[in-house]
Amino acid sequence: MQPIRLGLVGYGKIAQDQHVPAINANPAFQLVAVATQGQPCAGVENFQSLGELLENGPPVDAIAFCTPPQGRFALVQQALAAGKHVLVEKPPCATLGEAMALVNQVAEQGVSGLFAWHSRYAPGIEAARDWLATRTLQSVQIDWKEDVRKWHPGQAWIWQPGGLGVFDPGINALSIATHLLPLSLFVESAELRVPDNCQSPIAASIKMSDARHLDVRAEFDFDHGHDELWSIEIRCAEGTLRLDNGGALLSIDGVRQAVSEEGEYAAVYRHFQQLIGDKASDLDLQPLRLVADSFFVGSRALVEPFYD
Ligand SMILES: NC(=O)C1=CN([C@@H]2O[C@H](COP(=O)(O)OP(=O)(O)OC[C@H]3O[C@@H](n4cnc5c(N)ncnc54)[C@H](O)[C@@H]3O)[C@@H](O)[C@H]2O)C=CC1
Ligand SMILES: O=C1O[C@@H]([C@H](O)CO)[C@H](O)[C@H]1O
């Protein structure tokens, strides 16, 4: 079976940390070209733009997008117009409207598309989902706190309009919650704490619910220091489920549970391979809708300036 010839746009931190290692470890894919504005990727042909890659590069079947969300919409549209399958890092676009337009264009082009909510592929998520399926939900507490200086060193885009600020990692927690919980969530209120030299929040408190009045609270913090806290605790009538380390660890009533041994990005690319084989797509907008609504209803509190 011929491998899927893959191009990648945006050879930055996540491409280097996760995408390229996962691609190289999966024989169903062959990375053949990169378009990036930063350092080149060794071992493949490099181009300054996606247009140049598509016009002058080696033939590709699919494109992975690891650029910042701002400007990504036009890039993915360009790949779709060329009939390529697309894998898009989270958040899929800088706005909900752009992401909705991509959903339509993927369908019109008849290719496969994946919005890669990578945290949904964490080792403990499916076991958690199975356990919750037969339980009676009472409340959910999300704490998602990390150091932006560690995970986004020198990345000015994250503080600019469309960069989402603390919702860039926080949307991962929302992608897990919307995957685990049975009913559609909506935002009731939010407080966004915005550094007075930034356009996006460095911290946020969000209150959500669903049609059965489930109490869902989230605390996001991007200036938390190096001891990350990525946890979701779901209290049920029958017991308490807790995900830690971004979903890598699962415990029920304090007892650690067996989880998958597959890493997030290995599972992301295996899923993308399956979608292409099945001529299907997976383009969920729920996490981005919750972020958009948090910005709609969120009160703003100005806080001290942020310096990288
Ligand atoms: N940093 C992290 O730990 C993680 C980041 N992500 C997501 O991945 C995306 C990228 O994040 P990072 O890798 O951290 O950012 P980054 O700033 O390190 O990398 C972005 C790359 O895109 C390139 N680029 C920008 N515009 C381009 C264009 N028009 N054409 C070609 N290349 C272009 C830049 O040169 C840079 O190499 C974001 O959506 C982020 O939410 C996902 C998981 C973890
Ligand atoms: O998607 C993302 O993951 C975090 C970090 O890599 C682990 O939580 C990063 O801030 C965000 O872009």
Side-chain angles (χ1 to χ4, degrees), residues 9-15 35-38 48 66-69 72 75 89-91 118 151-152 155 157 168 265:
V9 184
Y11 186 62
K13 188 175 187 319
I14 197 58
T36 194
Q37 294 176 348
Q48 284 297 310
C66 300
T67 55
R72 193 186 288 158
L75 292 168
E89 253 297 354
K90 45 59 60 181
H118 61 82
W151 297 101
H152 298 272
Q155 296 180 14
W157 61 263
D168 180 83
Y265 280 85

Side-chain angles (χ1 to χ4, degrees), residues 13-14 17 89-91 118-119 144 146-148 151-152 155 157-158 168-172 222 228 230 246 264-265:
K13 188 175 187 319
I14 197 58
D17 287 358
E89 253 297 354
K90 45 59 60 181
H118 61 82
S119 294
W144 219 258
E146 65 178 59
D147 182 359
V148 64
W151 297 101
H152 298 272
Q155 296 180 14
W157 61 263
I158 214 154
D168 180 83
I171 204 170
N172 294 332
F222 225 177
E228 290 96 4
W230 298 310
E264 283 183 13
Y265 280 85

Side-chain angles (χ1 to χ4, degrees), residues 96-305:
L96 188 55
E98 288 177 338
M100 292 165 72
L102 288 186
V103 172
N104 293 336
Q105 194 172 346
V106 165
E108 287 162 9
Q109 289 294 335
V111 294
S112 290
L114 174 60
F115 288 166
W117 301 110
H118 61 82
S119 294
R120 284 182 173 176
Y121 302 79
I125 300 302
E126 288 313 307
R129 199 168 192 230
D130 293 343
W131 188 86
L132 289 167
T134 58
R135 268 59 186 195
T136 311
L137 301 175
Q138 291 176 331
S139 66
V140 182
Q141 177 63 42
I142 300 169
D143 290 293
W144 219 258
K145 305 182 177 182
E146 65 178 59
D147 182 359
V148 64
R149 295 175 183 84
K150 174 178 178 182
W151 297 101
H152 298 272
Q155 296 180 14
W157 61 263
I158 214 154
W159 302 113
Q160 291 157 4
L164 296 187
V166 74
F167 284 92
D168 180 83
I171 204 170
N172 294 332
L174 299 176
S175 73
I176 294 173
T178 51
H179 186 62
L180 294 182
L181 301 175
L183 300 181
S184 180
L185 293 179
F186 49 83
V187 175
E188 293 185 317
S189 64
E191 181 190 287
L192 312 180
R193 295 182 282 282
V194 183
D196 65 11
N197 64 338
C198 295
Q199 297 296 319
S200 48
I202 196 165
S205 302
I206 306 127
K207 186 176 183 311
M208 293 168 276
S209 190
D210 68 10
R212 292 196 195 123
H213 311 295
L214 181 65
D215 181 25
V216 182
R217 311 278 175 129
E219 292 297 327
F220 296 158
D221 185 0
F222 225 177
D223 195 14
H224 181 65
H226 275 234
D227 297 330
E228 290 96 4
L229 177 59
W230 298 310
S231 71
I232 298 178
E233 187 162 283
I234 304 178
R235 293 183 182 279
C236 303
E238 301 86 349
T240 295
L241 177 144
R242 185 178 171 90
L243 286 163
D244 283 291
N245 199 15
L249 302 176
L250 169 64
S251 57
I252 293 168
D253 292 332
V255 178
R256 186 69 65 77
Q257 306 294 307
V259 297
S260 162
E261 293 183 3
E262 186 177 36
E264 283 183 13
Y265 280 85
V268 166
Y269 275 90
R270 184 169 51 76
H271 185 43
F272 189 40
Q273 173 194 348
Q274 282 170 333
L275 290 172
I276 292 174
D278 297 345
K279 299 188 187 311
S281 289
D282 179 357
L283 302 166
D284 186 13
L285 296 170
Q286 294 309 304
L288 191 61
R289 176 180 60 76
L290 289 173
V291 173
D293 288 351
S294 297
F295 277 78
F296 272 139
V297 298
S299 63
R300 267 73 171 172
L302 275 187
V303 296
E304 63 276 7

